[in-house]
C-alpha cells in the first residue's frame, strides 16, 4: 500500500526541528512493521491556529485524491489539526476517497476503526481531537496570561521582533536604545514636524537629500511611507509598552476563486481591539523621542488622516462647523475680488445641504469666516476668565478618582486565585483522561473555570488602571489649568497652529446662519479621565 508520511513542526526553533525528524522515524518504523510502502514525506511548518490553508495539507489532500498514495500516516492527530471539526472533516474526506488514515500515538486506523455496518467509527479519534483542541486552547490561555503580566511589568513580549531603534536586553527582558540607529528615529520626527510628509521623509532617507546619503532601515529594505507612518504612531518611542492592541480573527475569503482559493480556505486577520482593551504601560523603557514632540506629531497625523490639513483646506473649522438648522456640515468658500482688487464677497461658511440640494433641504444662509473665528476666540477667552467654570468642568470626573489604597494586596489576591483555578483545571483534565469525569462534566466545568479566569483578568486590569489614576485631585486640577491657559496665546499663532489647537479643544460648533448665533461644544482633554 503506497503511503505518505505527514510530519509537522510548530515553530522554527532547533528543538522543534529535532522533533520533526523523530516523527518521520516513528512513522517509517510503523510503516515497515505493517508492510506499508512509504512513497512520499510531507513536512509542514505551520504555526498558530490550524487551518486548511497550509500548503503541505493542500498537497497532501490533492496528491491523495489524485491516487499518488493510498494511505496517510502521522505520529499523532495533533500534528495535523488541533480543531475537532476540521480534523474530523479531513479524515472523513480522505476516507470517502478510500484513503487510509493512521495515527501512531492514538493507535487509530481508519481501515480498522469501522462500525458493524462498515462505516467509519470516529468516536475514538473525536475524543483525541477534543483533547488536542482543549490542550491547545489551555496553552494559549496560559501564554496570554503570562504575556499580560509581562506587559504590566513593562517587559517586551517579542524578543524576536524588536522595534527599529531599540535592542532587546535579555537580562531584564526589556528594550534598550540602539544608539547606532536611534538618531534616525529622531530625524524622522524632526523632519515630520518641519512639514515633510511621510513619502518625502522616505525619499530623504533613501538618499534623496543634499548629501545623497541613504540611511539604514528596518530589515535592510528601502524606506517606505508606510514604515515612516508606523514609526510616527508607535508609542514605543516615548518609552511605552502596548499589549493586546490587536487580536487574530479567522475569516473566509469573500471571493476565493479570484485568488486561487476555495470556500474551505480561511485567512487570519489581525483586527484592532477597542482602546479600552489595550494594556499601556508608560515609561517601561528609555524613550528615544520626547513626549511633547510625539504628542505634536500625533496631532498632525490625526489632522491629516481626517483630511483636515491646512494645505488641502484653508478653513479653520472644517468638519467641526455644523449648521444649527439641519445639522449638515458648513463648507468654506473663499471670497471674490474684482479686477481692481476690491472685495466683492467675503470668506464665508455655507450650509452644505443648501449648496448641494437647494432650498428644499435648508435655507440660504452663511456666516463670515472672520466673524466666526473672532466669536470662537472670544468665547475661549471668556471661558478662561472664569476659574469656577474650569473647576466645574474637571470636577465632573472627580468621583472616578480614588484616594491612596492598597492595590498590591488586591493584585496579590487575584493572582493567587488565578493560580488556584489553573491547578484545578489541570486536575480536571487529568481526571477526564483517567475516565473519572465524563465529557459533559468536563465541558461544563471547563467553561465555568475559563469564565472565572476571564473575570479575574478583567479585575486585574481594572485595578491596574485605577492604580494609574491614584493621583491627588489637586495635582490634576493644576495640571489641567496650565494646559487650558495656553489657549490665551491662540490668536497670536499661525493659521496651521490655530487649526491643530482648535481641533484638540473643540468638538463641534453649531452655527445659525440666520441669527448668526453660535454654540460651541468643547472637547478639553481632562487628565482625570
Amino acid at each position: 500500500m503506497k503511503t505518505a508520511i505527514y510530519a509537522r513542526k510548530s515553530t522554527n526553533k532547533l528543538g522543534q526541528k529535532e522533533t520533526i525528524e523523530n516523527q518521520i522515524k516513528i512513522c517509517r518504523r510503523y510503516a515497515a512493521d505493517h508492510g506499508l510502502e512509504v512513497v512520499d514525506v510531507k513536512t509542514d511548518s505551520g504555526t498558530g491556529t490550524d487551518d486548511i490553508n497550509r500548503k503541505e495539507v493542500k498537497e497532501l489532500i490533492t496528491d491523495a485524491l489524485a491516487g499518488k498514495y493510498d494511505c496517510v500516516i502521522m505520529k499523532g492527530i495533533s500534528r495535523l489539526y488541533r480543531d475537532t471539526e476540521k480534523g474530523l472533516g479531513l479524515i472523513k474526506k480522505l476516507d470517502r476517497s478510500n484513503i487510509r488514515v493512521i495515527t501512531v500515538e492514538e493507535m487509530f486506523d481508519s481501515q480498522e476503526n469501522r462500525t458493524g455496518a462498515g462505516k467509519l467509527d470516529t468516536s475514538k479519534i473525536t475524543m483525541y481531537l477534543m483533547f488536542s483542541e482543549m490542550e491547545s486552547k489551555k496553552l494559549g490561555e496560559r501564554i496570554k496570561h503570562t504575556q499580560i503580566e509581562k506587559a504590566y511589568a513593562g517587559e517586551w513580549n517579542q524578543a524576536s521582533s524588536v522595534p527599529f531603534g531599540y535592542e532587546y536586553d535579555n537580562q531584564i527582558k526589556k528594550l534598550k536604545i540602539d544608539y547606532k540607529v536611534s538618531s534616525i528615529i529622531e530625524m524622522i520626527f524632526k523632519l515630520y514636524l518641519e512639514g515633510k510628509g511621510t513619502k518625502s521623509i522616505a525619499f530623504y532617507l533613501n538618499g534623496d537629500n543634499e548629501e545623497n546619503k541613504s540611511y539604514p532601515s528596518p530589515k535592510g529594505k528601502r524606506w517606505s511611507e508606510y514604515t515612516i507612518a508606523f514609526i510616527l504612531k508607535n508609542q514605543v518611542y516615548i518609552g511605552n509598552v502596548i499589549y493586546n492592541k490587536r487580536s487574530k480573527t479567522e475569516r473566509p475569503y469573500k471571493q476565493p476563486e479570484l485568488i486561487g482559493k476555495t470556500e474551505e480556505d480561511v485567512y487570519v486577520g489581525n483586527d484592532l481591539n477597542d482602546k479600552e482593551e489595550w494594556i499601556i504601560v508608560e515609561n517601561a523603557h528609555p524613550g528615544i523621542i520626547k513626549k511633547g514632540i510625539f504628542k505634536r506629531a500625533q496631532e498632525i497625523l490625526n489632522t491629516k488622516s481626517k483630511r483636515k490639513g491646512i494645505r488641502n483646506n484653508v478653513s479653520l473649522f472644517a468638519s467641526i462647523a455644523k449648521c444649527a438648522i439641519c445639522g449638515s456640515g458648513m463648507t468654506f468658500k473663499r471670497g471674490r475680488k474684482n479686477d481692481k482688487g476690491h472685495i466683492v464677497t467675503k470668506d464665508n461658511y455655507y450650509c452644505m445641504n443648501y449648496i448641494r440640494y437647494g432650498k428644499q433641504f435648508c435655507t440660504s444662509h452663511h456666516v463670515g469666516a472672520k466673524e466666526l473665528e473672532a466669536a470662537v476666540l472670544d468665547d475661549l477667552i471668556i471661558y478662561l476668565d472664569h476659574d469656577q467654570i474650569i473647576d466645574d468642568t474637571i470636577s465632573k470626573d472627580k468621583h472616578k478618582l480614588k484616594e491612596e489604597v492598597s492595590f498590591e494586596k488586591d493584585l496579590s489576591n487575584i493572582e493567587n486565585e488565578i493560580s488556584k483555578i489553573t491547578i484545578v483545571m489541570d486536575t480536571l483534565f487529568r481526571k477526564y483522561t483517567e475516565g473519572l469525569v465524563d465529557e459533559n462534566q468536563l465541558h461544563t466545568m471547563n467553561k465555568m473555570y475559563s469564565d472565572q479566569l476571564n473575570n479575574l483578568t478583567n479585575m486585574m486590569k481594572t485595578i491596574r488602571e485605577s492604580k494609574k489614576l491614584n493621583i491627588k485631585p489637586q495635582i490634576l486640577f493644576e495640571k489641567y489649568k496650565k494646559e487650558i491657559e495656553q489657549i490665551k496665546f491662540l490668536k497670536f499663532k499661525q493659521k496651521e497652529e490655530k487649526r491643530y489647537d482648535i481641533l484638540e479643544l473643540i468638538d463641534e460648533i453649531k452655527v445659525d446662519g440666520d441669527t448668526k448665533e453660535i454654540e460651541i461644544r468643547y472637547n478639553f482633554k481632562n487628565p482625570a479621565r
Side-chain angles (χ1 to χ4, degrees):
M1 182 174 280
K2 293 182 294 184
T3 302
I5 292 175
Y6 176 80
R8 179 191 178 209
K9 67 177 184 289
S10 297
T11 70
N12 293 321
K13 295 179 181 178
L14 179 60
Q16 292 289 344
K17 290 180 181 178
E18 293 171 351
T19 65
I20 202 168
E21 293 172 1
N22 186 50
Q23 290 174 49
I24 295 171
K25 286 181 182 178
I26 291 172
C27 291
R28 284 191 182 279
R29 188 181 307 119
Y30 185 95
D33 291 344
H34 293 79
L36 302 173
E37 180 190 359
V38 177
V39 296
D40 197 3
V41 176
K42 302 288 187 185
T43 57
D44 192 350
S45 57
T47 60
T49 303
D50 305 81
D51 59 70
I52 207 166
N53 284 9
R54 301 204 307 268
K55 177 184 175 183
E56 294 80 0
V57 176
K58 284 192 169 186
E59 288 181 356
L60 184 77
I61 298 170
T62 302
D63 290 352
L65 298 182
K68 291 186 178 181
Y69 35 80
D70 310 301
C71 177
V72 174
I73 182 173
M74 64 198 77
K75 177 176 176 284
I77 192 63
S78 63
R79 295 297 93 195
L80 181 63
Y81 273 114
R82 294 192 182 97
D83 182 288
T84 306
E85 183 181 354
K86 292 178 181 178
L88 282 175
L90 182 53
I91 291 171
K92 289 177 180 178
K93 184 173 184 177
L94 293 173
D95 185 68
R96 284 195 298 269
S97 298
N98 297 317
I99 307 297
R100 185 179 178 184
V101 179
I102 297 172
T103 66
V104 179
E105 279 184 348
E106 296 84 8
M107 293 186 293
F108 173 81
D109 186 339
S110 62
Q111 182 173 278
E112 304 294 333
N113 291 84
R114 317 299 293 189
T115 66
K119 293 182 179 181
L120 178 66
D121 184 357
T122 59
S123 57
K124 183 177 180 180
I125 200 64
T126 299
M127 181 181 69
Y128 283 111
L129 280 165
M130 287 176 60
F131 288 162
S132 180
E133 182 176 356
M134 287 172 55
E135 188 62 30
S136 177
K137 288 180 178 178
K138 187 166 63 174
L139 177 62
E141 288 175 0
R142 287 176 179 170
I143 292 172
K144 184 81 170 179
H145 287 306
T146 300
Q147 290 180 336
I148 287 173
E149 285 307 303
K150 287 181 66 178
Y152 276 124
E155 297 180 12
W156 189 252
N157 266 310
Q158 297 174 297
S160 60
S161 179
V162 177
F164 185 72
Y166 283 101
E167 295 177 310
Y168 182 71
D169 190 329
N170 196 49
Q171 297 296 319
I172 59 175
K173 312 300 181 185
K174 293 188 176 186
L175 298 179
K176 62 180 181 181
I177 296 176
D178 181 358
Y179 289 100
K180 298 189 295 294
V181 294
S182 60
S183 60
I184 300 174
I185 300 296
E186 295 176 304
M187 184 189 304
I188 288 171
F189 278 86
K190 180 176 181 294
L191 291 172
Y192 191 69
L193 295 192
E194 288 176 353
K196 280 186 176 292
T198 54
K199 187 178 290 187
S200 297
I201 295 174
F203 288 161
Y204 184 95
L205 296 179
N206 285 327
D208 186 7
N209 51 62
E210 293 180 357
E211 300 175 354
N212 293 322
K213 178 183 177 181
S214 58
Y215 293 84
S217 65
K219 300 179 180 179
K221 297 180 180 179
R222 284 181 60 82
W223 287 96
S224 71
E225 58 183 301
Y226 306 106
T227 305
I228 301 298
F230 179 79
I231 288 173
L232 290 170
K233 295 175 184 177
N234 199 339
Q235 291 189 38
V236 73
Y237 294 111
I238 55 173
N240 294 353
V241 164
I242 301 181
Y243 182 72
N244 202 41
K245 190 173 181 179
R246 294 183 179 274
S247 295
K248 291 183 178 180
T249 306
E250 195 175 271
R251 306 193 195 98
Y253 291 96
K254 290 183 178 180
Q255 294 180 296
E257 65 281 355
L258 297 181
I259 52 174
K261 304 290 184 180
T262 68
E263 291 182 357
E264 294 179 328
D265 290 328
V266 295
Y267 70 96
V268 178
N270 212 8
D271 294 345
L272 188 68
N273 295 329
D274 293 335
K275 284 194 175 182
E276 291 75 17
E277 299 178 37
W278 297 6
I279 296 173
I280 303 177
V281 179
E282 298 182 354
N283 305 315
H285 53 262
I288 296 175
I289 302 299
K290 291 181 179 180
K291 292 183 178 179
I293 292 174
F294 186 83
K295 179 183 177 183
R296 196 63 176 165
Q298 304 319 296
E299 292 169 353
I300 299 173
L301 281 165
N302 291 336
T303 299
K304 289 185 175 181
S305 69
K306 296 174 183 176
R307 299 184 181 275
K308 299 173 183 174
I310 294 298
R311 292 180 181 176
N312 297 324
N313 195 325
V314 294
S315 163
L316 279 179
F317 306 113
S319 80
I320 58 174
K322 310 286 184 182
C323 173
I325 298 174
C326 69
S328 172
M330 301 285 287
T331 183
F332 175 82
K333 281 198 170 187
R334 185 177 290 282
R336 184 171 60 85
K337 295 180 180 179
N338 60 21
D339 295 338
K340 296 181 180 180
H342 297 144
I343 296 175
V344 177
T345 57
K346 298 189 298 181
D347 295 349
N348 287 311
Y349 285 88
Y350 293 86
C351 170
M352 183 64 76
N353 261 346
Y354 175 78
I355 294 294
R356 285 178 175 172
Y357 309 114
K359 293 182 179 180
Q360 69 179 104
F361 280 89
C362 200
T363 60
S364 172
H365 54 254
H366 61 269
V367 63
K370 287 185 178 180
E371 288 79 5
L372 181 59
E373 180 179 343
V376 171
L377 293 180
D378 287 345
D379 195 83
L380 284 169
I381 297 302
I382 293 171
Y383 188 96
L384 283 171
D385 287 340
H386 292 78
D387 289 342
Q388 187 58 46
I389 296 177
I390 298 175
D391 287 341
D392 289 344
T393 300
I394 59 181
S395 293
K396 289 178 182 178
D397 290 328
K398 186 176 180 180
H399 67 280
K400 297 179 182 177
L401 297 173
K402 295 187 176 182
E403 298 298 335
E404 294 291 335
V405 294
S406 177
F407 291 104
E408 296 304 324
K409 184 177 180 181
D410 293 339
L411 287 173
S412 178
N413 290 338
I414 291 176
E415 288 170 357
N416 288 336
E417 286 298 314
I418 289 175
S419 178
K420 288 178 183 178
I421 291 175
T422 303
I423 293 171
V424 171
M425 291 179 76
D426 285 340
T427 304
L428 175 65
F429 186 76
R430 188 177 67 253
K431 286 183 177 180
Y432 178 58
T433 59
E434 295 172 354
L436 301 175
V437 175
D438 64 33
E439 183 180 325
N440 289 332
Q441 289 175 315
L442 176 69
H443 179 75
T444 302
M445 296 177 73
N446 193 58
K447 184 180 186 305
M448 179 183 71
Y449 291 131
S450 295
D451 290 342
Q452 288 181 15
L453 279 177
N454 289 335
N455 290 335
L456 288 169
T457 302
N458 290 333
M459 287 171 63
M460 186 178 291
K461 178 181 177 182
T462 301
I463 290 174
R464 291 187 185 279
E465 290 175 348
S466 299
K467 186 177 180 181
K468 291 180 185 178
L469 292 176
N470 190 31
I471 306 172
K472 292 183 178 179
Q474 190 58 39
I475 296 176
L476 290 173
F477 294 168
E478 294 302 321
K479 179 182 176 183
Y480 186 51
K481 283 184 179 180
K482 287 180 181 179
E483 288 185 1
I484 293 179
E485 285 174 0
Q486 296 302 311
I487 302 170
K488 291 179 180 178
F489 308 103
L490 188 62
K491 63 182 178 182
F492 303 110
K493 293 183 178 181
Q494 297 296 317
K495 178 171 280 191
E496 291 86 351
E497 292 183 290
K498 284 183 183 179
R499 171 70 174 161
Y500 297 137
D501 288 340
I502 285 171
L503 289 173
E504 182 174 328
L505 297 170
I506 298 174
D507 184 56
E508 185 179 73
I509 303 171
K510 287 189 176 181
V511 182
D512 191 320
D514 293 334
T515 64
K516 311 301 180 186
E517 292 181 357
I518 69 167
E519 178 186 340
I520 302 175
R521 190 170 75 203
Y522 291 103
N523 186 33
F524 292 117
K525 290 186 176 178
N526 188 342
R529 290 183 185 275

